[in-house]
Structures are given as C-alpha cells and as structure tokens.
Amino acid sequence: MKLEESLFNWLQIHMVAEARPGDLAAKETVRFFEDILTEDHGVTELAISAQDTTMIHIRYTINGKTKMQMFGREQAEQLFSDIDSNPKYH
C-alpha cells in the first residue's frame, strides 16, 4: 500500500475511533494502519496537526524529517458518515 493511501486510511479510521470511543474494532484498525505506516513506510511520528472547513493536515516524520500531507475534509469524513448513517452500527 502506498504511503498516501495508508495515511488516508489511517485518517479515516482515526476519525471514526475518535467519534466512537467505545468502538474497539475502530481502535484495532487504527493500530493496524499505524503498524503499516511504521513498518512499511518508516513513519515514527503521526498526528493530525490542523483542520479547517475544507482540509485536514497530517504531520508525520520519516527518517528524522517532518512532512505534511493534506486531505479534503469531506473525503476524510466519509467513512464516519457512512458508519453513522447505517443503523446496523448503532
């Protein structure tokens, strides 16, 4: 999986886990993507660094260099929206 895809997947499930603190599957999936980012891409630090009405910024470190990736807020929130709108997950 490419770095950008891994970051986006982590962001989406991280947002789900934050919004649903009792969702153990979401928390396990966050750890899964953190493992991919660490083991496959060498990411050592990872965090949402900023958010505004249109973008979410992720700051991460690889090989001692801090980098930033931005994703559209609407796309990043889509997974949570899909889960939240499905009565099966309530």
Side-chain angles (χ1 to χ4, degrees):
M1 184 178 308
K2 294 181 180 181
L3 175 60
E4 188 172 332
E5 292 175 84
S6 299
L7 288 168
F8 182 71
N9 290 334
W10 172 83
L11 174 60
Q12 282 195 308
I13 197 63
H14 175 78
M15 294 176 81
V16 170
E18 289 289 311
R20 299 168 52 102
D23 188 336
L24 297 179
K27 289 180 182 181
E28 288 175 19
T29 307
V30 168
R31 284 191 295 276
F32 171 76
F33 283 108
E34 287 172 346
D35 287 347
I36 288 173
L37 288 162
T38 300
E39 295 170 11
D40 295 354
H41 300 288
V43 172
T44 56
E45 295 179 33
L46 177 66
I48 295 173
S49 61
Q51 299 183 50
D52 60 35
T53 57
T54 61
M55 301 298 288
I56 299 175
H57 305 236
I58 296 176
R59 186 171 309 273
Y60 61 99
T61 302
I62 296 178
N63 296 326
K65 295 183 181 180
T66 301
K67 301 180 181 205
M68 185 178 12
Q69 178 73 47
M70 297 184 293
F71 294 103
R73 187 178 192 107
E74 187 174 323
Q75 292 85 5
E77 292 176 341
Q78 188 62 51
L79 179 61
F80 174 71
S81 178
D82 291 346
I83 290 170
D84 196 46
S85 66
N86 189 334
K88 176 181 174 182
Y89 299 111
H90 289 277

